[in-house]
Amino acid sequence: MSPPQHIQWYSSAIEAYIYLPMVFTALPLLHFGLLKTKRLSNQVVQLAGFSLAVGLPLMYPCSDYFLHMVGAAASMVIMSLRMLEIGTIERSENSRWSLLDYTEFLMTSDNKRLRQLNELMHLK
């Protein structure tokens, strides 16, 4: 897929083997690092994660136009919505997640700790 004719594609774009891991690995790890910082409020983590998910793929375009659009769309829609959803969970809960819990939540919108918490809530 080539870019539309009226859009000049970047001559300084990064290669796909750098772009895709950046979007799908570095971005979630940055957000996870923000979650682990106890001093930050939920709103700050939510805003920073959303800004990263929307801004990072646009700041560093991929040399392959199709992969850039796929990576940017996945980051902007899926990851940003998950990061906003994480912001709705209490800070005391989401700051204790392991990396495995975090990645499970990004993929399924649920994780082991949340299921345990829901079971405890239903038992009361």
Side-chain angles (χ1 to χ4, degrees):
M1 180 177 188
S2 62
Q5 294 298 334
H6 66 282
I7 296 175
Q8 179 182 5
W9 198 237
Y10 298 92
S11 60
S12 62
I14 59 178
E15 294 298 321
Y17 61 86
I18 297 171
Y19 178 78
L20 293 176
M22 178 187 70
V23 170
F24 295 111
T25 304
L27 180 62
L29 286 176
L30 285 170
H31 186 251
F32 180 71
L34 290 172
L35 273 180
K36 297 305 272 183
T37 307
K38 303 266 187 203
R39 294 175 295 168
L40 297 177
S41 70
N42 224 9
Q43 291 83 9
V44 170
V45 173
Q46 193 174 20
L47 180 64
F50 184 78
S51 300
L52 281 171
V54 171
L56 195 66
L58 294 178
M59 288 191 304
Y60 301 103
C62 181
S63 58
D64 184 345
Y65 183 73
F66 176 75
L67 289 177
H68 174 72
M69 298 311 279
V70 168
S75 174
M76 289 181 191
V77 175
I78 298 167
M79 291 177 146
S80 61
L81 288 177
R82 290 285 195 249
M83 290 175 186
L84 289 175
E85 189 177 2
I86 288 173
T88 63
I89 299 168
E90 287 187 37
R91 186 80 175 109
S92 60
E93 179 61 33
N94 64 22
S95 65
R96 290 184 283 150
W97 287 357
S98 67
L99 187 57
L100 183 63
D101 292 332
Y102 178 76
T103 53
E104 183 182 359
F105 187 86
L106 280 182
M107 290 185 217
T108 64
S109 189
D110 196 16
N111 63 25
K112 184 179 177 181
R113 285 186 181 251
L114 288 178
R115 287 189 294 271
Q116 289 173 347
L117 187 64
N118 285 336
E119 287 175 9
L120 287 174
M121 295 293 221
H122 289 310
L123 290 177
K124 289 184 178 183

